[in-house]
Amino acid sequence: KSCIKKKYGQDACNVGDEGGFAPSVQDNTEALDVLMEAIEKSGHKEKVKIGTDVAASEFYNKDTQKYDLDFKHPEGSPDDMKKSPDEMIAYYQGWLEKYPLLCSIEDPFDQDDWEAYSKFQAAVGDSVQIVGDDLLVTNPKRIAKALEVKACNALLLKVNQIGSITEAVEAAQ
């Protein structure tokens, strides 16, 4: 809390409806920097790992096949903030090099960008958990495809995604 208060002021320390702080960070790297500083200052660096839910489907443009990292900008984002799947892989690899506590990346690509998932899994899947939530949606057919193309190495199993406990058990098997 003190790291956020020092950098963003007291208002940034108000707790949101999901129980977390919401400082006005300008990009993902800044958010990870603040998080790393807080973990180090708290003395928990040896006890904590970081997981991210990128939710990349939210900022993927199917027409351009690019990921817009500044999609919320009211005046539109500059071209250098629009990344190809290969550029996103390099971007995530930069995170993994800079933030050694980062051990899990959920939904790093669009829910139908199977090729990007497979490339990313081949590049870093032995050292980081790649979670396919939007990719797999607890669907046995999508899980089978992910196994076939080696798209990810972790499943977020949600009964409410597939509809019944029976279907969720089938998905887990």
Side-chain angles (χ1 to χ4, degrees):
K1 183 175 178 178
S2 65
C3 295
I4 292 172
K5 184 177 179 180
K6 179 181 170 188
K7 186 168 179 129
Y8 303 100
Q10 179 61 43
D11 287 349
C13 294
N14 294 334
V15 178
D17 58 347
E18 290 189 13
F21 298 122
S24 182
V25 296
Q26 298 305 305
D27 64 42
N28 298 315
T29 302
E30 182 181 352
L32 288 167
D33 287 340
V34 171
L35 187 56
M36 287 294 294
E37 179 186 352
I39 291 168
E40 288 174 14
K41 282 187 175 180
S42 71
H44 295 294
K45 189 175 178 182
E46 302 302 319
K47 301 175 189 175
V48 173
K49 297 288 183 188
I50 299 171
T52 63
D53 181 355
V54 177
S57 292
E58 298 300 317
F59 54 92
Y60 180 68
N61 183 316
K62 288 185 187 334
D63 295 332
T64 64
Q65 297 184 346
K66 297 231 176 183
Y67 294 88
D68 186 350
L69 299 181
D70 198 21
F71 71 103
K72 290 186 177 182
H73 196 282
E75 297 166 14
S77 55
D79 287 342
D80 67 336
M81 294 301 285
K82 297 171 184 170
K83 308 284 186 191
S84 69
D86 287 339
E87 289 171 320
M88 288 302 295
I89 290 170
Y91 185 77
Y92 296 136
Q93 286 174 315
W95 277 4
L96 295 169
E97 289 171 18
K98 186 174 180 183
Y99 307 106
L101 300 182
L102 183 59
C103 68
S104 180
I105 301 178
E106 179 180 334
D107 295 332
F109 303 101
D110 180 66
Q111 62 200 20
D112 293 315
D113 198 346
W114 293 94
E115 184 178 347
Y117 269 96
S118 295
K119 283 182 178 180
F120 189 50
Q121 169 68 17
V124 301
D126 59 341
S127 62
V128 66
Q129 180 175 274
I130 302 168
V131 183
D133 177 16
D134 294 343
L135 177 74
L136 305 176
V137 293
T138 314
N139 181 305
K141 290 178 183 171
R142 290 184 72 90
I143 293 167
K145 180 174 181 175
L147 290 168
E148 179 185 321
V149 301
K150 298 181 174 129
C152 57
N153 58 18
L155 162 69
L156 186 53
L157 184 70
K158 297 180 183 176
V159 175
N160 65 334
Q161 274 184 324
I162 192 65
S164 73
I165 293 173
T166 303
E167 290 167 306
V169 169
E170 181 187 342
Q173 295 171 337

